[in-house]
Amino acid sequence: MKRISILLIFTLIFYGCKKDPNKSLNFINGYWEIESATTADGKKHEYTISTTVDYISINDSLTGFRKKLNPTLMGTYNTSKDAEKITVKIENDSLNLYYKTPFATWKETVIFANEEHLEVVNADNMTYLYKRFTPINVLE
């Protein structure tokens, strides 16, 4: 009986701690500013100022795009027509973002996402932490 109780407790802990990738998906859309990048060997680079913002848009069919935008002091954005196509897949309890451009394809796995932060890791074990971007309008 004691073994069954211990096994039951470990099973509940294991399954209770699993993250639901669908919850992270709810927070991906929007404007993101890079906060830091950490290499596979643990070296961290902080971004105190960034001239670009990533805009991510994913629709109900789990496809979308990411664009690089340059915010202006008027609260608007400058951008080009370039965009990276995104396909979202939930695989092995992970939320994976597959990117495609005419020049390259790559994958990022979402480690964490909420209303304020987005953290992803790529195939080279580079981890990127983003914070939600709030535009600045000097005319207001």
Side-chain angles (χ1 to χ4, degrees), residues 79-137:
T79 186
S80 69
K81 293 182 182 181
D82 297 332
E84 302 160 349
K85 292 181 183 179
I86 301 175
T87 302
V88 178
K89 294 183 182 179
I90 296 174
E91 303 165 313
N92 301 321
D93 294 326
S94 293
L95 180 62
N96 295 314
L97 308 175
Y98 289 88
Y99 294 92
K100 183 176 183 180
T101 70
F103 310 104
T105 59
W106 67 97
K107 173 180 117 175
E108 292 179 338
T109 300
V110 175
I111 297 171
F112 177 79
N114 67 14
E115 191 64 43
E116 297 299 319
H117 287 95
L118 171 64
E119 187 173 5
V120 297
V121 63
N122 67 17
D124 296 325
N125 276 333
M126 284 285 297
T127 302
Y128 297 93
L129 178 62
Y130 296 88
K131 63 183 174 182
R132 186 75 64 181
F133 178 75
T134 304
I136 299 169
N137 189 339

Side-chain angles (χ1 to χ4, degrees), residues 48-66:
T48 55
I49 211 164
S50 180
T51 59
T52 61
V53 172
D54 287 357
Y55 175 70
I56 299 174
S57 176
I58 298 170
N59 60 33
D60 291 340
S61 64
L62 300 181
T63 60
F65 64 91
R66 177 171 73 177

Side-chain angles (χ1 to χ4, degrees), residues 12-29:
L12 289 173
I13 290 171
F14 176 74
Y15 285 106
C17 293
K18 278 187 145 181
K19 63 180 180 177
D20 181 3
N22 287 303
K23 288 181 182 177
S24 294
L25 183 58
N26 295 328
F27 299 106
I28 303 292
N29 284 336

